[in-house]
Amino acid sequence: MAEADSLETRDPLNTPVQYVPGVGRHWAAVLMRLGLTRARDVLFHFPRDYQDYTDLRTVAEFEDGALHSAIGTIEDVETVEYRGGRMRLGLLVRSGDESLRVTWFNQRYLVGRFQEGQRILVSGKAKRDGLRWEMAHPRFQILDEEEDEPTRGALLPVYPSTERLSQPRLRSIVQRVVADAADAVPEVFPPSYLDAHNLPGIGQAIRQIHFPENHDQLAAARRRFVYQELLILQLALAIKQQQQHTVGQAPALEPTAKIDARIRRLFPFELTPGQNRAIDEITADTAGTIPMNRLLQADVGAGKTVVAAYLMLLAVAHGFQAALMAPTEVLARQHATTLGRLLSAARVRQALLSGSMKSAERDEVKSRLAEGALDIVVGTQAMIQGDVEFANLAVVVIDEQHKFGVTQRAALRAGDRSPHYLVMTATPIPRTIAMTAFGDLDVTRIDDTPPGRQQVHTYLAEENERSKWWEFFCKKLDEGRQGYVIAPLVEDSDRLDVTSVEAAYEALCNGPLEAYRVGLIHGRLSSDDKEAVMERFRRGDIQVLVATTVIEVGVDVPNATLMTIEGGERFGLSQLHQLRGRISRGAYAGYCCVFAAMENDASRARLEAFRDTPGGFELAEIDFRLRGPGELFGTRQHGLPPMRIADLGRDTELLSEARRDAQQLVREDPGLASPDHRLLRAMVIRRYGKALSLGDVG
Ligand code: ADP
Ligand code: MG
């Protein structure tokens, strides 16, 4: 670490924990397991929570409707199930001479957390019900056995720890280290910066994040660390952006009335207001020479493809080329077909670039692209990002991209020009995440759907309802509809994956779907075979397609309105929603039935949310709540190290502030070269230098 260079005779930050008074060899070994070897590690081992005794009372002292905390002993634990899967968890807590009833509704994850005899701290709104006091949905903490009876007024830290190291012991170790070393931590911000941003100095912030005297102190300390973490991130992104901006200008593509009319004439339907708004935002960007970096977000079936087509045709109308990249061959071919249909009446030269083409064919397409003899190319991302050269590329569209961080952004260039980029996704990304992971990516949303769309009826079925479901499935097939069966997927094992989908296929052909034309598609088939199967499905030769998640994204067969999902517990919410999106594309209502081994409450909660929530955005927010933003949109997914203290779902305002400040800092001092910014720069490089290849700043 950079600070270690300035080691004087004794740097208190580097003191091995073993030599902290009261620690010794035994506890040092335990601390080591928490990753704490030196004093500075302990200083930055922040509490994960606090025990709040600032408003501690006995139940006898409660006031009706006020926020209170109380400590008591659990005397009874009770779980009550209601119809429709709802439930209530109740505790009877004895505190002094009185008792308090504590309740939670539908918080299944809490079941099993409580035992009679445990001491518990609860904080929440106290309500008087007849003779008894009640508290619903309080914050709570189970107290350690050796915990001293806390003093009123305190806010005690609760640390990430191990079973062997009790909170009181860890607390006293931290207390010593903080007293000894907090003031030795170098300050990254100049004093004037701290003042201007109303941030406590580093020593004070460390003391107060561990041992705040009240909520205000805690909030101020936390604010400093969150701000600092977000600022470092935003500085890294701003520097990256600055480096990229030197890459060159993009061609200006003005959507004149004439061009606009010419493009719209090709579409077989009127665009929705949402699609039109998206086109307005996109063309406002592309009319300028700063390369566009825009994310188009819309729920499955909202009609993103036609927006992409508009943009590509705009480039072609100005005499430039456009590329459309899809995540899979199946999708690339589908897009090529769709575009081919749209463009049959136009003089646009379009080609597919596919991995399964003969290499002579591929070379032919590539040389036509390089000569400028092709206007639009469609292919998989891998294909187009290969060694393809363009004569005059102006627009790149990346479809159904789920991993689209700064680190993943495709780098396609055409000479010294940079194209405009449009990234399309059905995965809703909260604004804060977009700002973080993409740095400079602007977001456009389409929030309506084409008219006449039917909702998908979703069921969560028990094993004994199978025959009933298949009966219904077959009845709809007889009416002329088509359907999918999504076979269970075994993680990380292609071979098993194929075996299970093949087994499902066999079982269906010899069982409930005996009388129907059934096809099979999975990732192990060659591209040509996959395409052949898809084509037969599109034509209706195949009535039911048994598939793995190859069809998860993008596949567009409006007559397919039925879906059976097996092994539903293995899918994430957004994946389930993507799957269901395949059957909400036409004028007929869709029916989706999920069979799942309900392993635990978490998977039940997820599947019930899927059943009850039709909208993708709403579902994503639930996913966000159930799993936490970390897993879903963690910076990790985007190739960046995870956040340590900031919560991207919650610290929105600080994120905006940090972003503004970072951009200003980098504008005023491009390489962060001034002595005032030396430490900030070192932190940026240390944390993000590698992930964002910021090489030449450091
Ligand atoms: P997604 O946003 O999931 O990629 P698509 O672009 O595949 O959606 O569009 C879904 C379906 O809706 C396609 O069959 C498409 O032709 C149709 N569609 C798109 N826009 C409209 C519209 N404005 N009016 C009617 N149908 C539309
Ligand atoms: Mg699509």
Side-chain angles (χ1 to χ4, degrees):
M1 287 182 188
E3 288 82 354
D5 299 341
S6 57
L7 240 186
E8 286 168 23
T9 37
R10 188 191 83 99
D11 180 352
L13 294 176
N14 274 327
T15 307
V17 284
Q18 183 181 343
Y19 302 125
V20 172
V23 175
R25 291 227 334 245
H26 173 75
W27 293 113
V30 178
L31 288 168
M32 187 103 82
R33 263 192 244 132
L34 292 169
L36 311 177
T37 47
R38 308 219 166 226
R40 65 167 305 126
D41 306 327
V42 177
L43 291 182
F44 289 95
H45 188 65
F46 290 166
R48 63 170 165 76
D49 204 353
Y50 299 83
Q51 283 172 13
D52 188 350
Y53 301 121
T54 51
D55 198 20
L56 190 64
R57 301 198 175 200
T58 63
V59 174
E61 294 171 317
F62 275 9
E63 285 165 35
D64 197 11
L67 290 171
H68 291 306
S69 306
I71 290 178
T73 305
I74 300 179
E75 285 195 331
D76 189 34
V77 184
E78 166 187 68
T79 322
V80 184
E81 297 282 346
Y82 298 106
R83 239 184 299 169
R86 285 164 311 124
M87 55 85 63
R88 174 175 69 82
L89 174 65
L91 303 180
L92 192 65
V93 176
R94 170 148 298 267
S95 161
D97 295 333
E98 301 225 26
S99 58
L100 171 68
R101 173 151 296 282
V102 176
T103 23
W104 287 273
F105 291 97
N106 302 325
Q107 308 282 304
R108 266 176 207 284
Y109 69 97
L110 290 179
V111 174
R113 288 279 283 278
F114 307 104
Q115 279 157 28
E116 285 171 30
Q118 276 173 333
R119 282 203 315 143
I120 188 174
L121 165 69
V122 289
S123 314
K125 188 185 253 185
K127 278 177 79 176
R128 180 102 202 170
D129 177 32
L131 288 177
R132 213 168 28 206
W133 285 96
E134 296 200 330
M135 216 180 250
H137 291 248
R139 279 167 38 91
F140 72 93
Q141 253 141 24
I142 308 286
L143 299 181
D144 241 315
E145 307 238 328
E146 45 178 299
E147 194 93 50
D148 284 334
E149 199 61 43
T151 39
R152 194 174 281 209
L155 207 48
L156 286 186
V158 179
Y159 293 100
S161 187
T162 71
E163 293 219 335
R164 293 170 53 201
L165 183 58
S166 72
Q167 290 295 336
R169 182 175 293 274
L170 183 50
R171 212 174 272 149
S172 81
I173 294 171
V174 176
Q175 207 148 23
R176 276 177 207 271
V177 177
V178 167
D180 189 45
D183 287 317
V185 178
E187 176 60 76
V188 296
F189 296 115
S192 58
Y193 197 93
L194 290 176
D195 272 355
H197 291 81
N198 197 17
L199 300 168
I202 185 70
Q204 188 186 343
I206 287 178
R207 273 191 297 276
Q208 293 182 357
I209 197 132
H210 289 289
F211 304 107
E213 280 164 25
N214 52 48
H215 287 282
D216 289 347
Q217 281 191 358
L218 173 58
R222 186 175 179 279
R223 182 167 167 274
R224 180 202 152 111
F225 290 112
V226 170
Y227 175 82
Q228 179 172 333
E229 179 165 52
L230 294 173
L231 184 78
I232 299 293
L233 169 63
Q234 292 298 330
L235 278 173
L237 292 169
I239 290 170
K240 181 80 188 165
Q241 191 180 355
Q242 209 167 42
Q243 290 175 351
Q244 274 171 345
H245 266 184
T246 56
V247 296
Q249 298 195 321
L253 310 171
E254 178 100 34
T256 62
K258 201 168 133 208
I259 291 176
D260 180 75
R262 244 165 52 208
I263 296 176
R264 284 174 194 267
R265 258 205 307 280
L266 298 172
F267 299 150
F269 38 65
E270 289 283 308
L271 299 193
T272 65
Q275 286 170 326
N276 281 324
R277 266 194 306 275
I279 287 173
D280 287 347
E281 290 186 29
I282 288 166
T283 52
D285 283 1
T286 57
T289 58
I290 299 174
M292 173 174 76
N293 264 317
R294 193 165 275 280
L295 180 72
L296 177 62
Q297 237 180 288
D299 204 352
V300 288
K304 294 182 282 292
T305 314
V306 57
V307 175
Y310 186 104
L311 173 61
M312 294 194 291
L313 291 169
L314 179 64
V316 176
H318 283 272
F320 291 98
Q321 293 171 309
L324 172 57
M325 311 206 268
T328 64
E329 287 251 358
V330 168
L331 269 191
R333 282 171 190 263
Q334 177 179 289
H335 280 319
T337 313
T338 310
L339 286 175
R341 247 193 337 255
L342 283 182
L343 302 179
S344 56
R347 282 187 312 273
V348 174
R349 299 159 301 173
Q350 188 217 194
L352 175 74
L353 196 55
S354 136
S356 61
M357 278 161 58
K358 295 210 178 59
S359 72
E361 269 180 288
R362 251 188 344 244
D363 291 346
E364 160 83 19
V365 171
K366 285 185 197 168
S367 71
R368 285 171 67 209
L369 278 170
E371 289 160 16
L374 274 177
D375 303 309
I376 292 178
V377 65
V378 181
T380 58
Q381 190 153 342
M383 211 59 234
I384 294 182
Q385 273 179 269
D387 55 351
V388 178
E389 266 183 58
F390 291 89
N392 55 1
L393 180 67
V395 160
V396 176
V397 179
I398 308 173
D399 187 26
E400 297 297 357
Q401 179 56 283
H402 303 288
K403 279 195 187 157
F404 20 31
V406 241
T407 51
Q408 265 104 0
R409 197 101 37 93
L412 285 181
R413 300 282 309 279
D416 52 3
R417 283 237 185 76
S418 175
H420 295 288
Y421 275 96
L422 182 69
V423 180
M424 307 200 290
T425 179
T427 310
I429 299 157
R431 165 125 194 85
T432 49
I433 310 292
M435 265 162 52
T436 310
F438 313 122
D440 55 342
L441 207 65
D442 299 301
V443 181
T444 290
R445 271 192 183 191
I446 302 177
D447 41 25
D448 54 13
T449 43
R453 257 322 135 66
Q454 300 264 352
Q455 220 183 349
V456 177
H457 303 273
T458 306
Y459 311 97
L460 195 53
E462 306 286 337
E463 276 310 303
N464 62 15
E465 292 168 302
R466 261 181 202 280
S467 57
K468 219 171 81 199
W469 165 249
W470 284 118
E471 213 173 285
F472 175 81
F473 196 100
C474 294
K475 188 179 119 231
K476 289 288 167 188
L477 292 177
D478 294 339
E479 288 172 11
R481 305 286 77 75
Q482 291 167 277
Y484 302 93
V485 178
I486 309 301
L489 160 129
V490 178
E491 249 173 71
D492 292 332
S493 164
D494 276 352
R495 217 161 48 85
L496 279 174
D497 185 5
V498 173
T499 328
S500 60
V501 72
E502 275 170 350
Y505 172 75
E506 292 294 325
L508 289 168
C509 291
N510 297 313
L513 299 179
E514 204 171 9
Y516 300 88
R517 299 181 302 276
V518 184
L520 173 65
I521 191 169
H522 56 69
R524 280 298 190 87
L525 295 181
S526 76
S527 300
D528 282 345
D529 288 348
K530 265 189 259 181
E531 186 46 32
V533 174
M534 281 314 296
E535 189 44 39
R536 290 175 58 212
F537 187 58
R538 260 180 225 121
R539 280 206 310 262
D541 295 351
I542 291 176
Q543 291 170 286
V544 181
L545 192 58
V546 180
T548 52
T549 49
V550 233
I551 62 128
E552 179 188 331
V553 292
V555 169
D556 185 25
V557 181
N559 189 47
T561 59
L562 302 162
M563 180 172 284
T564 308
I565 299 178
E566 299 282 356
E569 76 282 358
R570 295 177 194 269
F571 299 99
L573 266 181
S574 68
Q575 207 177 13
L576 286 169
H577 187 65
Q578 276 283 350
L579 285 168
R580 173 168 65 184
R582 300 311 106 221
I583 55 166
S584 63
R585 314 187 72 77
Y588 300 105
Y591 299 91
C592 173
C593 184
V594 184
F595 293 95
M598 229 64 90
E599 288 158 335
N600 51 43
D601 293 334
S603 64
R604 179 178 286 277
R606 201 170 65 233
L607 291 166
E608 285 175 352
F610 173 62
R611 179 193 60 199
D612 300 336
T613 317
F617 288 114
E618 213 184 323
L619 209 51
E621 307 236 305
I622 294 175
D623 213 11
F624 210 74
R625 275 203 308 271
L626 289 178
R627 294 203 288 172
E631 249 186 89
L632 197 58
F633 296 114
T635 44
R636 220 178 317 230
Q637 263 199 12
H638 307 286
L640 300 177
M643 295 282 103
R644 289 181 184 145
I645 179 165
D647 176 341
L648 295 174
R650 238 175 33 198
D651 295 316
T652 0
E653 264 170 49
L654 275 179
L655 181 57
S656 306
E657 190 180 331
R659 180 174 160 82
R660 244 188 351 259
D661 296 345
Q663 282 176 343
Q664 191 181 340
L665 274 171
V666 170
R667 241 190 336 267
E668 289 167 358
D669 180 11
L672 295 180
S674 90
D676 265 1
H677 299 148
R678 187 181 64 88
L679 283 176
L680 267 184
R681 192 184 70 171
M683 287 181 90
V684 171
I685 302 294
R686 191 160 68 220
R687 196 142 164 74
Y688 295 106
K690 215 160 127 211
L692 293 177
S693 33
L694 300 174
D696 45 334
V697 219

